[in-house]
Amino acid sequence: ALSNKTFSSHFPSLPSWLSARAEECGWKYPTLIQQRAIEAVLEGNDVIIQSQTGSGKTLAYLLPLLAAIDPSRACIQGIVVVPTRELGVQVARVARRLAAASVDVGGERIMIMSALQGSTNKRQRAWARSDPPHLVIGTPSELGELVKSGGIKYHAVKFVVVDEVDACLLNNNGSIVSSKSSKSLNLS
């Protein structure tokens, strides 16, 4: 069910560039899950979103996440953990579409990096260290490699989103498992 109010009128605390960009991309009215989740996150609450496929969960977490990023700070401020490369590509595509309108007063823009299986890890590690992106979207194993190499430092991270948490926690392509011999990703 869609709201009869636009993103900008329903969430006046979202930056105007972000609600305008969501509407330009065709997301003019928030779904019920977006209304509930975005409002809770903007109030400073931790949120667990459980809803049907196609209900708008990705936008429900990306909008408040992107709203919280300060493009003038050169550090990773948000991490989105996804279970598969395919989902990571989809999430990164939506994040980049939204962030394309994020130029601040100083001319800085929100930069997004994907850390997915099949990506060039060497290049990503170098980029994350020399000119860090603001948001990293990746699979547990690839994010774990970035953490181990020093490409992700926790001190500036404001948001951590785990999309499809059940799938991320399964032994799926090097993801987190409880075995002592397995690699683990600890973002605390």
Side-chain angles (χ1 to χ4, degrees):
L2 294 177
S3 171
N4 59 353
K5 294 165 72 175
T6 64
F7 277 101
S8 56
S9 60
H10 198 76
F11 305 109
S13 60
L14 277 179
S16 57
W17 69 264
L18 188 55
S19 19
R21 181 64 179 159
E23 292 174 21
E24 286 171 20
C25 291
W27 304 302
K28 190 169 184 174
Y29 303 102
T31 64
L32 181 59
I33 196 68
Q34 290 166 347
Q35 292 170 53
R36 291 179 177 168
I38 294 170
E39 189 171 302
V41 173
L42 290 174
E43 290 172 355
N45 297 305
D46 291 340
V47 175
I48 296 173
I49 303 171
Q50 183 176 3
S51 186
Q52 296 174 324
T53 300
S55 60
K57 294 181 293 289
T58 302
L59 212 55
Y61 66 75
L62 279 179
L63 287 173
L65 191 160
L66 291 170
I69 289 176
D70 177 358
S72 67
R73 292 187 62 212
C75 58
I76 297 171
Q77 299 169 48
I79 297 172
V80 178
V81 185
V82 293
T84 65
R85 175 179 176 74
E86 293 75 23
L87 181 58
V89 168
Q90 292 172 14
V91 171
R93 185 178 304 127
V94 173
R96 285 185 179 107
R97 283 182 71 191
L98 291 168
S102 68
V103 177
D104 72 357
V105 177
E108 299 293 323
R109 197 175 89 168
I110 294 174
M111 299 304 295
I112 298 166
M113 180 178 84
S114 299
L116 306 166
Q117 282 98 1
S119 303
T120 310
N121 283 335
K122 209 174 212 181
R123 187 185 76 199
Q124 289 171 336
R125 285 192 291 270
W127 179 25
R129 278 192 296 271
S130 66
D131 186 22
H134 301 102
L135 173 61
V136 178
I137 300 165
T139 53
S141 59
E142 303 303 318
L143 290 170
E145 288 299 318
L146 276 172
V147 169
K148 281 198 314 193
S149 71
I152 294 179
K153 296 179 178 44
Y154 312 131
H155 69 281
V157 175
K158 296 182 204 178
F159 270 89
V160 175
V161 175
V162 182
D163 198 329
E164 295 186 14
V165 68
D166 53 341
C168 284
L169 294 175
L170 295 173
N171 186 10
N172 180 1
N173 296 324
S175 298
I176 304 169
V177 294
S178 60
S179 169
K180 290 180 183 178
S181 65
S182 301
K183 298 177 187 174
S184 67
L185 172 64
N186 183 355
L187 296 175
S188 58

